Amino acid sequence: SGGEESKTLAQAEQVLRELARAGCERGDIVVAFGGGVVGDLAGFCAAVYQRGARWVGIPSTLVAQVDSAYGGKTGVDLPEGKNYVGAYHLPAAVICDPDLLATLPARELAAGYAEVVKTALIAGGRLWARVRGGAEPSDDEVILGCVRTKLAVVAADERDAGGRQVLNLGHTVGHAIEAATGYRRYRHGEAVAVGLLCALRLSGRDHLRREVVDLLAARGLPTTYSGAAPEQVLELVRRDKKRRQGRVPFVLVEEPGRVTPGHELSDDEVLAAIKEVYRP
């Protein structure tokens, strides 16, 4: 499977029909070997194949190893929005081998670093200290710290009723940038990097924002975006699947280790933050 453009209902149908043609039974196991897109697609197919088969993740990218392989969110995109079709379906197991990361292109490794920074901001403490100190993203302790952080958050709120939404830090604007640019211009992690900077601006944490800009830029991640007008990105933010009564709650940062969901912001505030990271 390729990138985000493979996360479609048509691709899911193809995988499901292959499973049926191969005679797979409900007791068999679907193995997702690859990055986040492969995990999302394979996990979703496992969730709906014969009303639910088990699946095992073998994440091969940094994004998947530190974030997307855990938590059981599976799904595909619609043209109208990212991850609009999906299911909560936890993997039976995840086999995480950091040595696989040595095979990644530099841009792919950098994209995963955005999720490392996001997770470290949520965790605070030792993980944030390690990341801000310049630890390699493929460092075993960094990956383990990210996994522990994500699993603790997911265990407390598996189905996104409240606390789990902190994991969406940087993703509200990030997903909108991905969708506005047709999922072709930016990798997921690159869009999240820009989204993180918007979230920090909306949090009023300028000193922390400057530090994060330096961390992201040092790994070759974008700190601005182009290819879609800020108004277009805002329109997609408004359609975010987490909206309630038409309002999109934002995740904001008080300080590393103190990240909170559920903040309602005006369109003007959000548009100003998007304009700040836009370069025509």
Side-chain angles (χ1 to χ4, degrees):
S1 175
E4 194 73 26
E5 63 274 9
S6 300
K7 272 178 61 174
T8 62
L9 282 167
Q11 186 78 47
E13 182 183 6
Q14 208 175 318
V15 172
L16 290 163
R17 293 194 66 188
E18 286 295 334
L19 290 171
R21 277 196 287 266
C24 289
E25 299 175 0
R26 196 172 166 183
D28 292 331
I29 292 176
V30 176
V31 176
F33 180 48
V37 168
V38 173
D40 283 1
L41 179 64
F44 175 66
C45 290
V48 296
Y49 184 71
Q50 297 185 0
R51 298 202 181 92
R54 289 174 301 164
W55 70 286
V56 169
I58 307 177
S60 63
T61 65
L62 186 58
V63 170
Q65 289 198 2
V66 299
D67 184 67
S68 61
Y70 319 92
K73 280 187 177 179
T74 71
V76 296
D77 304 331
L78 294 180
E80 290 75 15
K82 188 174 157 82
N83 297 325
Y84 256 45
V85 181
Y88 290 95
H89 190 47
L90 287 161
V94 176
I95 300 165
C96 179
D97 180 0
D99 286 350
L100 284 172
L101 302 178
T103 66
L104 287 186
R107 188 179 170 192
E108 190 64 56
L109 200 58
Y113 185 67
E115 295 287 4
V116 171
V117 173
K118 175 206 84 171
T119 308
L121 283 168
I122 293 166
R126 279 172 55 189
L127 182 58
W128 172 246
R130 202 170 180 93
V131 169
R132 75 187 295 210
E136 285 300 313
S138 55
D139 175 270
D140 285 7
E141 284 303 311
V142 168
I143 292 172
L144 207 52
C146 288
V147 173
R148 285 191 181 117
T149 301
K150 174 141 192 186
L151 291 180
V153 172
V154 170
D157 176 24
E158 189 186 321
R159 290 186 171 245
D160 239 351
R164 179 174 177 159
Q165 288 177 18
V166 298
L167 296 170
N168 224 43
L169 177 63
H171 284 60
T172 306
V173 171
H175 281 167
I177 289 171
E178 283 184 273
T181 54
Y183 301 112
R184 285 184 295 274
R185 194 179 188 103
Y186 296 103
R187 283 172 159 80
H188 174 67
E190 293 169 340
V192 167
V194 178
L196 270 177
L197 298 179
C198 287
L200 289 166
R201 166 63 71 241
L202 291 164
S203 303
R205 296 294 175 261
D206 294 348
H207 178 72
L208 185 58
R209 187 182 188 277
R210 285 193 292 274
E211 187 172 6
V212 170
V213 164
D214 291 344
L215 285 172
L216 298 173
R219 296 283 168 187
L221 278 160
T223 54
T224 60
Y225 86 97
S226 58
E231 291 77 10
Q232 199 182 343
V233 173
L234 177 65
E235 186 49 45
L236 283 155
V237 166
R238 286 201 197 108
R239 285 206 300 224
D240 189 283
K241 66 187 184 309
K242 287 191 170 57
R243 71 184 182 276
R244 296 281 181 274
Q245 281 92 47
R247 305 290 294 176
V248 179
F250 267 78
V251 181
L252 300 181
V253 183
E254 209 168 306
E255 62 182 359
R258 294 182 74 181
V259 174
T260 52
H263 298 271
E264 288 201 358
L265 302 170
S266 71
D267 285 351
D268 288 348
E269 288 175 282
V270 177
L271 184 60
I274 296 168
K275 281 181 172 175
E276 194 177 354
V277 293
Y278 175 58
R279 295 292 176 273

